[in-house]
Amino acid sequence: MSARYPLIRESEYSWRIDPTGNMRVPAITYADETLIREMDDKVFEQLCNVASLPGIVQAAYAMPDAHWGYGFPIGGVAAFDPDEGGIVSAGGVGFDISCGVRALRTGVSIDEIEPVKKQLADALFRHVPVGVGSTGRIHLNDKGMQAMLRGGAQWAVEQGFGDPADLEHIEERGCMRGAVPEEVSERARNRQQDEMGTLGSGNHYLEVQRVAEIYDQRIATAFGLKENDAVVFIHCGSRGLGHQIGTEFLKYMVMAAGKHGIVLPDRELACAPINSELGQSYLGAMRAGINCALANRQIITHLTREVFADVVPNADLTLLFDVSHNTCKVEDHLVEGRQRKLYVHRKGATRAFGPGNREIPETLRAVGQPVLIGGSMGTESHILAGSVEGAGLSFNSACHGAGRAMSRHQATKRWRGRALVDELADRGIIIRSPSMRGVAEEAPGAYKDVRAVVDAAEKAGLAHKVARLEPRVCIKG
């Protein structure tokens, strides 16, 4: 347990820190005892700092994959009421705005992939740009950039990247309302003009996976999944544009905090009142960043379909769902018996609406929103479904991945990329990457046990387990 923070055990999978000092609400972490013991004290420090921010509602939450980040812990969730002086925080969204995961059904079994697995890996690696500073075949002039930032995946489909049917299975139906491209700086737009349709680096990847186990047959059937199916996961975000938006607005928010009477427990928690001019400017830019990420994943989907059409012509890639995990969304939530319109920050946390929510596509509404949990490179991923009880537990939020257990620098001191590629190949997993250092940074051992994280999320009531997937091909930066 934490030596510095008095964790009160509410249940086997729920831990509370009561308000002390400047905290306005409790800090709650969902995890089992092992995951709690493995969390750095910095997670609890950051969570308590979030709990001290103006206008926060109910509690500051950390998901089972939580680890310390910039300002907010990664895996952090907090909701703010604008009518009570609530704030919006660039650090509470993160630098890679709308980083998220997209799952595609292929319509074929993994048995049809195995004979051409190496050919498929090579073709995907050639066709989908990946790595630090990677650029694609699309160049956007200023008019095209404005249209993309306003239209998101809807814009991408209009440009011929994908099908209109895709849009029903994307958060916000592919286009985040309220985007204001004019709030995105010229520097941010310039960074993105050649980066559309690229994966980038870090923990971003494109994977071909096998459905190895079904946990809930009813929901899996509704999701169109069965054992041995081949599934594609795409994990990436808003690239240089999102990072630039976050960098610039953090600076503006730090400088403006005093003017708004905000005392920051940590400079990294720089924020602005939602109803302020700066708060609204950030929200307009952030929503444009969300659209950039949605368009980016849509273009990568189109590129992936092109490769499959050549290598696995029997495949028919259809979109199961696309969900982001670095956002601030305006949502209606029931708090203390009344509906309130709240600004829900999810940093490294996934929206997980339960059955019946009208934001879920009609074809999936009866069983809940798909929650896509990517593992680390070479380890299993999971598909979950949002739960009804999650509304009261975490504003319908769940984990987003395994969560780092050590820094990238520590990982490169312990592992060598070439050895990892060879080791995973012996297990039948093909890795393609332009950087062996990048492979070492994302070593499976540098992350928590994703199965333990997913089990904790289910047992805490945040979401229901549906299926477990094993990687076969991984394209990463």
Side-chain angles (χ1 to χ4, degrees):
M1 299 299 112
S2 170
R4 294 174 53 200
Y5 294 93
L7 288 162
I8 300 167
R9 190 168 197 163
E10 294 187 300
S11 70
E12 190 175 356
Y13 295 92
S14 178
W15 309 76
R16 186 183 79 250
I17 301 173
D18 283 333
T20 59
N22 294 324
M23 290 172 66
R24 301 166 190 260
V25 294
I28 294 175
T29 303
Y30 295 108
D32 64 20
E33 188 168 332
T34 300
L35 289 168
I36 285 286
R37 288 185 183 278
E38 292 173 350
M39 285 184 190
D40 192 295
D41 266 0
K42 188 74 172 176
V43 172
F44 306 117
E45 177 187 332
Q46 290 187 319
L47 199 62
C48 290
N49 285 342
V50 172
S52 74
L53 292 173
I56 190 168
V57 174
Q58 197 162 275
Y61 297 100
M63 300 296 103
D65 56 338
H67 53 108
W68 68 272
Y70 191 97
F72 275 55
I74 297 168
V77 176
F80 298 87
D81 189 335
D83 295 332
E84 296 185 357
I87 57 86
V88 60
S89 169
V93 170
F95 288 95
D96 192 1
I97 294 169
S98 195
C99 185
V101 181
R102 172 174 288 216
L104 298 161
R105 296 167 297 228
T106 67
V108 298
S109 75
I110 204 69
D111 299 330
E112 296 180 66
I113 300 291
E114 285 293 338
V116 294
K117 187 167 66 175
K118 184 177 183 301
Q119 182 185 351
L120 181 63
D122 291 340
L124 287 168
F125 187 54
R126 286 194 305 268
H127 206 57
V128 180
V130 60
V132 176
S134 53
T135 57
R137 63 194 192 198
I138 300 165
H139 174 85
L140 293 180
N141 59 21
D142 193 57
K143 182 178 179 182
M145 179 67 67
Q146 295 276 338
M148 180 274 289
L149 294 175
R150 206 175 291 281
Q154 290 183 12
W155 166 87
V157 169
E158 290 167 1
Q159 302 304 305
F161 300 108
D163 306 316
D166 292 338
L167 301 174
E168 278 301 306
H169 291 260
I170 305 173
E171 268 189 305
E172 313 299 334
R173 290 167 177 81
C175 179
M176 185 71 212
R177 297 174 298 279
V180 184
E182 293 78 12
E183 297 290 358
V184 179
S185 71
E186 182 179 5
R187 170 66 177 143
R189 296 195 305 271
N190 287 344
R191 288 187 65 178
Q192 194 62 29
Q193 62 183 3
D194 294 310
E195 290 192 347
M196 297 307 297
T198 66
L199 276 172
S201 58
N203 64 346
H204 297 157
Y205 60 79
L206 187 159
E207 279 193 353
V208 181
Q209 305 168 336
R210 168 184 171 260
V211 178
E213 186 175 5
I214 297 292
Y215 298 118
D216 188 308
Q217 189 61 59
R218 181 182 70 91
I219 301 179
T221 299
F223 286 0
L225 300 171
K226 61 182 184 299
E227 279 194 25
N228 220 40
D229 278 355
V231 173
V232 174
F233 264 33
I234 298 168
H235 176 207
C236 63
S238 51
R239 302 286 279 118
L241 180 135
H243 195 281
Q244 192 66 31
I245 291 171
T247 299
E248 291 170 358
F249 276 93
L250 277 164
K251 180 177 68 175
Y252 303 151
M253 288 174 175
V254 166
M255 293 189 297
K259 183 182 79 172
H260 295 296
I262 297 173
V263 178
L264 296 175
D266 179 352
R267 273 176 63 93
E268 294 180 0
L269 278 177
C271 56
I274 292 164
N275 289 333
S276 69
E277 183 178 346
L278 178 57
Q280 289 298 305
S281 293
Y282 172 71
L283 286 166
M286 181 210 66
R287 289 163 180 161
I290 290 176
N291 282 336
C292 176
L294 296 178
N296 194 36
R297 290 195 290 275
Q298 184 65 34
I299 296 168
I300 293 172
T301 296
H302 176 76
L303 299 176
T304 303
R305 283 169 170 158
E306 288 182 335
V307 170
F308 268 79
D310 285 341
V311 181
V312 192
N314 290 338
D316 179 20
L317 273 60
T318 59
L319 182 54
L320 169 58
F321 205 63
D322 179 304
V323 64
S324 301
H325 49 243
N326 279 357
T327 61
C328 175
K329 298 281 188 72
V330 183
E331 297 170 3
D332 291 318
H333 287 278
L334 186 66
V335 180
E336 297 176 347
R338 67 184 178 96
Q339 287 287 339
R340 296 168 69 175
K341 196 170 290 294
L342 304 175
Y343 285 67
V344 183
H345 293 63
R346 296 186 179 94
K347 179 178 181 178
T350 304
R351 193 190 75 178
F353 284 155
N357 192 293
R358 296 189 64 81
E359 291 296 315
I360 303 172
E362 191 172 350
T363 54
L364 305 174
R365 197 170 295 163
V367 295
Q369 177 206 300
V371 178
L372 308 174
I373 309 298
S376 56
M377 181 190 64
T379 68
E380 62 193 39
S381 296
H382 290 258
I383 296 176
L384 288 73
S387 67
V388 171
E389 54 267 43
L393 294 171
S394 61
F395 299 111
N396 283 123
S397 307
C399 50
H400 85 298
R404 291 200 76 94
M406 66 175 67
S407 71
R408 288 181 167 86
H409 177 69
Q410 289 172 314
T412 58
K413 293 176 71 173
R414 185 173 297 190
W415 290 284
R416 291 292 175 265
R418 185 70 257 169
L420 284 169
V421 169
D422 293 342
E423 176 189 327
L424 291 168
D426 289 342
R427 292 169 43 199
I429 303 167
I430 297 178
I431 306 294
R432 292 288 182 268
S433 172
S435 167
M436 288 300 104
R437 179 181 175 84
V439 170
E441 289 176 347
E442 299 304 313
Y447 283 81
K448 301 177 187 184
D449 179 352
V450 69
R451 194 177 299 192
V453 167
V454 167
D455 284 347
E458 178 175 66
K459 290 173 181 175
L462 306 178
H464 300 301
K465 293 195 301 184
V466 178
R468 177 173 64 85
L469 303 97
E470 296 174 343
R472 285 295 179 265
V473 171
C474 179
I475 312 300
K476 70 166 307 299

